[in-house]
Amino acid sequence: QPRLAEGQPFSAGKELMSKTTQNTRKLTGVAMLSAIGFILMFIELSVPIMPAFIKLDFSELPALLASFAYGPMAGAAVCLIKNVIHVFIGGTTAGVGELSNFLMGVMYVVPAGLIYQKMKSRKGALIGSVAGCVISSVYCLPHNYFLIYPLFGKFVLPLEAILGMYKALNPNVDNLFQAIATFNVPFTFLKGFLVTVLT
């Protein structure tokens, strides 16, 4: 319980109580949105134009809402919490999938939240969300090529098998870099766009 120092005016005490209430509401909101994001991670849709290990889910939606409601760091916190829980309950990729989901989510919701802080309107939310789509899509290429797929190849599935899945969809794909650029980058933008529309 917050306490007034001796001689501290009553208005200062009200302000302290108000700030405590706001922090409690923020923590509660982030926790609830993290729980919703975690649940949404299990509602995955297969996409015929993507390899079988890549699924479409909308677990970034609660993170984006948190970023708008409480600030970009709250959005990042939702991304982190839902993935940490998923590692222990339902994770099947030795944490690699969750790491990818976290980093990609942050690259989407944090720019959106930062822009919304400067333009608190529906237009600002739209501009921020589209900016997040573009930034996460650009980041997707080095993210997967240099970090996630090497880890995936080491702990989950050999890189040759991953490339084979892409080749089955498009025989003209010659290497992993080309596969990510052809498939993952537009898929990342599409996913972000769908989350933006739903939000």
Side-chain angles (χ1 to χ4, degrees), residues 53-125:
F53 63 89
I54 296 178
K55 307 287 186 182
L56 175 65
D57 70 65
F58 297 103
S59 63
E60 270 75 49
L61 196 155
L64 185 60
L65 291 174
S67 198
F68 288 155
Y70 306 118
M73 290 307 100
V78 171
C79 290
L80 177 63
I81 294 167
K82 71 184 175 74
N83 279 291
V84 168
I85 299 172
H86 195 267
V87 168
F88 296 104
I89 306 174
T92 58
T93 59
V96 178
E98 287 81 8
L99 174 64
S100 179
N101 187 284
F102 165 67
L103 293 173
M104 290 300 298
V106 166
M107 295 304 292
Y108 172 54
V109 305
V110 169
L114 287 170
I115 291 173
Y116 183 71
Q117 279 187 329
K118 303 294 182 184
M119 303 172 60
K120 290 202 171 184
S121 63
R122 182 173 294 184
K123 181 180 179 182

Side-chain angles (χ1 to χ4, degrees), residues 20-190:
T20 302
T21 303
Q22 286 177 0
N23 288 338
T24 302
R25 285 179 179 171
K26 184 175 180 178
L27 285 171
T28 304
V30 168
M32 288 173 54
L33 290 167
S34 298
I36 295 169
F38 168 69
I39 293 167
L40 289 175
M41 291 183 79
F42 288 96
I43 306 173
E44 299 177 320
L45 304 174
S46 296
V47 182
I49 58 171
M50 294 297 290
F53 63 89
I54 296 178
K55 307 287 186 182
L56 175 65
D57 70 65
F58 297 103
S59 63
E60 270 75 49
L61 196 155
L64 185 60
L65 291 174
S67 198
F68 288 155
Y70 306 118
M73 290 307 100
V78 171
C79 290
L80 177 63
I81 294 167
K82 71 184 175 74
N83 279 291
V84 168
I85 299 172
H86 195 267
V87 168
F88 296 104
I89 306 174
T92 58
T93 59
V96 178
E98 287 81 8
L99 174 64
S100 179
N101 187 284
F102 165 67
L103 293 173
M104 290 300 298
V106 166
M107 295 304 292
Y108 172 54
V109 305
V110 169
L114 287 170
I115 291 173
Y116 183 71
Q117 279 187 329
K118 303 294 182 184
M119 303 172 60
K120 290 202 171 184
S121 63
R122 182 173 294 184
K123 181 180 179 182
L126 181 60
I127 292 171
S129 299
V130 172
C133 287
V134 173
I135 291 169
S136 61
S137 299
V138 171
Y139 169 72
C140 170
L141 189 54
H143 163 85
N144 281 303
Y145 187 74
F146 292 110
L147 177 64
I148 297 303
Y149 278 17
L151 289 173
F152 209 81
K154 187 174 181 179
F155 296 109
V156 185
L157 196 65
L159 292 178
E160 295 79 12
I162 294 173
L163 184 58
M165 290 181 176
Y166 283 109
K167 281 181 167 291
L169 294 168
N170 183 355
N172 296 320
V173 170
D174 295 322
N175 53 62
L176 201 54
F177 187 90
Q178 187 180 2
I180 296 167
T182 303
F183 289 91
N184 295 53
V185 172
F187 173 77
T188 300
F189 184 85
L190 175 63

